[in-house]
Amino acid sequence: MTRLLSPPVSKSWEPLTLLVTVAVTMGCLHSANTWAQSSPRSRPAVSADRATLQIVCEGKNAGAEITVQGEVKGDCPLDVQIAPGTIRILATKQASDTTELASEQEIRIGSGTTKRIEIELGPPRLNARGRTLNKGKEQERAQSDRTDSIEANRLRAAAEAGDTGAMLALSLAFRAGKGLPINEEQASIWERKAAEGGNAKAMAQLGQLAEKKRNFAEAFVWYEKLANKGDPAGEGNLAALYFNGTGVVKDVDKGVALWRKAAGAGSTRAMNGLGVAYLNGLGTPKDVPQALQWFRRASDAGEARAHTVLASLHLRGGEGISQDPASVVRLCQLAIDGGNLDCYGLLADLHFFGLGVAKDEAKGLSFVRAGAEAGNPNSMRMLGAYHFNGNAGLPANSPLALTWLRKAAALGDEPAIKEVETMRLRGHTQDAAEAAAQQNAAPSADQRVVTHAPVQQPPPPPSPSPGFGGGLFGGLLGGVASQIVDRNAALVNSALGGSGVAGRLAADMNSQLAAETKEQIARQTGSTDEGRMGNALASALTSGGRAGTLASSGVGGSGTTLASQTSPGTASGAQSGANNAALLACKSVSYPGSKADPQTYVYDAIAQFDACAYKSTGDSRYVTDGNNQCKALAGLLASTRSAFRPYFCSGSLMKQ
């Protein structure tokens, strides 16, 4: 076997070899120890006059740039040898072109020690480039503010010298805080001065503001001044007041004549008004194609009222327009964007009743809620009724119902005002905020508010017959009918700003309206009892609210009520299906007075029926209801200065 042998070594070399071996071995051990001490993640031996920072960054903080005492040290994680004392550490990481994530901290560290620092970056802030750009913008804003201030001073001087254009511009500057502190009072003062000085734009603004606040008399003053100057928009607005009899004695012919003139000059409100006139044959022969032409012209020009009317026609179809859910959605979006919030009710109906789409109660409710939250009183009132009854998937909650009804009442909604008062009489006096405040006060168990439970107090005065407006719209059953009437008939009314002729639109939907009302009442109450439905229908018609008035004036076009257009059992309710021949005879009696103003004569026509019914049955509840109708009519005549002269009402009492 062959062996590999080392070359022979002289013995005289052995001590030297041993010495070298030991030296090499010791050197290796020393080197290893030095390496171990200088490893970045180990604890190095720290000299007495130095300290070590172990800076750690994890997750989103990893890679942050570390600056210590103003000197960039590198990207985290890393160890840094520093002089002891107070140390400032900055960590930054770019978030965008102009922002960074950052963390700043200050620590103290002693000599010969090691301290671990964990970095947690904060929210984005401007980086150096962002600060430079922002400084430029601040300088631009400062320059703009100086310019605005100079312009405001110029406008004030010109306004005080009598320049109406400067007055209006100064008003806008006060309102927007442009060169001046925001001051609504000063804005209103200068706006009015501009209008009184003959500035057309200021006149229009004041007229529109007054009309929005339902101060029609003031609106009439400004619109008439504009019309006298030949302003088309002023003529269109003035025509609406004449046509509706708001703020002035009603004169349909004059209204239509003004609309015709203003529409030719480009007034979109006048175009829409002519459409209503032609659709209903008021002040001009009925001409549906001509009506649609004007509605479309107004809609194409951006008139929100026309969007709403066309959407209502597309909802069910008819009058030469096909049922088209897609057009309803498109037109309602335009109407809502243009400030006409009544279209929320149309979108709700689209889904509640499945008009060309699948029925979806939740989606319908979402549009009612959206309309209420956007400030539409009709939607607020409907949401209040749903909360009260516990319908459309909502739990019964009278405080929430009262909250929404009060909001609608605060906007001048007459039916809501009446419903709030009826709730008060029935013991529902706390809205949601008040109920929550009482609950937070931690009352004893017997003091806690029970949702929807009436507060114990003396019973309310006796109500009229359930078929004639008793209770909260007949226990809010009538409210259901009223809401449907609002959306089916009052859409044109709202588009005009209060026209009583909207009921004419309901006339064209009579059969569908009655069927939908019954369906809605059944859905909300779980009852299909014909008498209860009749109570609700009659209640909606005789509550004194605008919705009932419109439906009553429109259906059949002869002053007969909606109830009389349905089956006897459905209509009467108060008389076990209205099979009494005497009552049927009373319903068939024609109204002998003028029907030129459907917003007004309907109260007198219902009083006519009540008087006949009382004579035929001896039931004093008809007297109570008739007096209520006459009282409502008296208030309406006083507020509108209408020339209407009632036949069956004498002041606030019914003739018997």
Side-chain angles (χ1 to χ4, degrees), residues 274-552:
L274 272 184
V276 172
Y278 277 118
L279 183 66
N280 294 281
L282 293 171
T284 186
K286 182 169 181 174
D287 188 334
V288 174
Q290 186 84 308
L292 296 178
Q293 178 182 333
W294 282 111
F295 285 140
R296 287 173 178 142
R297 280 186 62 179
S299 178
D300 290 344
E303 176 59 53
R305 298 174 181 89
H307 299 325
T308 300
V309 174
L310 287 174
S312 70
L313 294 173
H314 276 300
L315 187 65
R316 292 175 178 80
E319 297 289 11
I321 287 187
S322 61
Q323 186 180 50
D324 185 353
S327 290
V328 173
V329 173
R330 177 182 61 81
L331 288 163
C332 275
Q333 186 61 63
L334 291 172
I336 291 167
D337 290 345
N340 194 303
L341 304 181
D342 289 299
C343 237
Y344 279 114
L346 285 178
L347 294 172
D349 272 358
L350 183 70
H351 298 285
F352 273 139
F353 298 113
L355 300 174
V357 298
K359 285 189 179 183
D360 188 335
E361 188 174 74
K363 200 164 186 178
L365 178 62
S366 73
F367 283 111
V368 173
R369 190 182 299 281
E373 292 173 350
N376 179 250
N378 287 336
S379 298
M380 291 176 181
R381 186 164 13 92
M382 170 157 261
L383 189 57
Y386 283 162
H387 277 300
F388 188 87
N389 286 322
N391 302 129
L394 295 174
N397 188 325
S398 64
L400 263 180
L402 185 56
T403 295
W404 285 111
L405 289 171
R406 281 179 175 173
K407 287 183 178 182
L411 294 175
D413 185 73
E414 294 176 8
I417 293 171
K418 293 185 174 101
E419 290 177 29
V420 168
E421 176 60 15
T422 304
M423 288 189 75
R424 185 188 69 78
L425 292 174
R426 292 181 172 271
H428 302 287
T429 58
Q430 285 188 321
D431 63 21
E434 292 164 344
Q438 179 168 327
Q439 186 174 6
N440 291 337
S444 59
D446 60 339
Q447 292 175 319
R448 292 196 183 104
V449 175
V450 179
T451 299
H452 212 304
V455 179
Q456 293 299 318
Q457 57 176 252
S463 299
S465 162
F468 292 92
L472 188 61
F473 270 103
L476 280 181
L477 285 173
V480 175
S482 177
Q483 296 293 348
I484 294 174
V485 170
D486 273 336
R487 295 197 302 277
N488 285 356
L491 284 165
V492 176
N493 176 56
S494 67
L496 286 171
S499 169
V501 303
R504 305 274 184 160
L505 185 59
D508 298 329
M509 303 175 180
N510 181 27
S511 299
Q512 175 109 20
L513 179 60
E516 286 178 8
T517 305
K518 291 170 65 177
E519 176 187 351
Q520 178 86 315
I521 294 170
R523 179 168 60 84
Q524 293 201 24
T525 64
S527 171
T528 57
D529 179 76
E530 292 288 292
R532 293 185 74 198
M533 291 183 183
N535 295 347
L537 287 164
S539 174
L541 293 172
T542 60
S543 63
R546 179 179 294 274
T549 302
L550 289 170
S552 179

Side-chain angles (χ1 to χ4, degrees), residues 26-393:
M26 291 298 290
C28 290
L29 290 174
H30 176 74
S31 298
N33 185 50
T34 301
W35 174 83
Q37 289 182 358
S38 62
S39 176
R41 306 313 320 155
S42 67
R43 286 182 177 273
V46 181
S47 62
D49 62 344
R50 302 292 287 175
T52 299
L53 293 177
Q54 290 188 327
I55 303 177
V56 181
C57 300
E58 298 178 348
K60 70 181 179 71
N61 306 301
E65 182 181 79
I66 304 299
T67 300
V68 179
Q69 301 291 67
E71 182 181 348
V72 176
K73 295 297 185 180
D75 292 345
C76 188
L78 79 167
D79 292 350
V80 181
Q81 292 272 336
I82 56 169
T86 300
I87 309 299
R88 295 185 304 276
I89 304 169
L90 169 65
T92 58
K93 187 175 183 179
Q94 184 170 340
S96 72
D97 188 42
T98 57
T99 60
E100 63 185 8
L101 308 178
S103 170
E104 296 183 70
Q105 52 187 302
E106 189 174 270
I107 65 168
R108 285 190 61 81
I109 188 168
S111 59
T113 62
T114 298
K115 181 168 285 191
R116 176 185 170 92
I117 305 296
E118 293 187 2
I119 298 298
E120 182 65 38
L121 297 172
R125 69 179 191 182
L126 292 175
N127 59 19
R129 184 171 187 275
R131 289 192 294 274
T132 300
L133 293 174
N134 189 59
K135 185 177 181 181
K137 291 179 180 178
E138 288 177 351
Q139 291 173 342
E140 290 175 4
R141 280 195 294 269
Q143 180 60 43
S144 177
D145 289 343
R146 286 191 292 270
T147 302
D148 288 344
S149 180
I150 293 171
E151 176 63 10
N153 289 333
R154 187 194 69 78
L155 288 174
R156 187 188 291 274
E160 290 173 349
D163 186 332
T164 62
M167 292 176 190
L168 183 59
L170 185 61
S171 166
L172 297 174
F174 271 118
R175 193 159 279 143
K178 194 170 182 180
L180 294 164
I182 292 177
N183 190 323
E184 183 60 36
E185 181 181 0
Q186 283 294 312
S188 297
I189 288 172
W190 284 108
E191 183 180 41
R192 184 166 290 276
K193 284 184 176 182
E196 290 171 347
N199 186 279
K201 189 172 182 181
M203 290 180 189
Q205 289 179 186
L206 287 179
Q208 290 161 5
L209 179 63
E211 188 176 9
K212 185 176 181 180
K213 292 181 177 179
R214 302 185 68 78
N215 187 348
F216 298 114
E218 182 177 352
F220 178 83
V221 170
W222 294 116
Y223 291 157
E224 186 177 46
K225 287 178 181 290
L226 279 171
N228 290 338
K229 291 167 68 75
D231 183 84
E235 291 173 336
N237 292 331
L238 182 65
L241 299 185
Y242 274 115
F243 191 84
N244 301 325
T246 47
V248 65
V249 175
K250 187 165 185 172
D251 189 334
V252 172
D253 292 338
K254 187 169 184 176
V256 172
L258 277 170
W259 267 337
R260 202 179 300 280
K261 178 184 176 186
S267 167
T268 59
R269 185 174 190 179
M271 294 175 193
N272 182 74
L274 272 184
V276 172
Y278 277 118
L279 183 66
N280 294 281
L282 293 171
T284 186
K286 182 169 181 174
D287 188 334
V288 174
Q290 186 84 308
L292 296 178
Q293 178 182 333
W294 282 111
F295 285 140
R296 287 173 178 142
R297 280 186 62 179
S299 178
D300 290 344
E303 176 59 53
R305 298 174 181 89
H307 299 325
T308 300
V309 174
L310 287 174
S312 70
L313 294 173
H314 276 300
L315 187 65
R316 292 175 178 80
E319 297 289 11
I321 287 187
S322 61
Q323 186 180 50
D324 185 353
S327 290
V328 173
V329 173
R330 177 182 61 81
L331 288 163
C332 275
Q333 186 61 63
L334 291 172
I336 291 167
D337 290 345
N340 194 303
L341 304 181
D342 289 299
C343 237
Y344 279 114
L346 285 178
L347 294 172
D349 272 358
L350 183 70
H351 298 285
F352 273 139
F353 298 113
L355 300 174
V357 298
K359 285 189 179 183
D360 188 335
E361 188 174 74
K363 200 164 186 178
L365 178 62
S366 73
F367 283 111
V368 173
R369 190 182 299 281
E373 292 173 350
N376 179 250
N378 287 336
S379 298
M380 291 176 181
R381 186 164 13 92
M382 170 157 261
L383 189 57
Y386 283 162
H387 277 300
F388 188 87
N389 286 322
N391 302 129

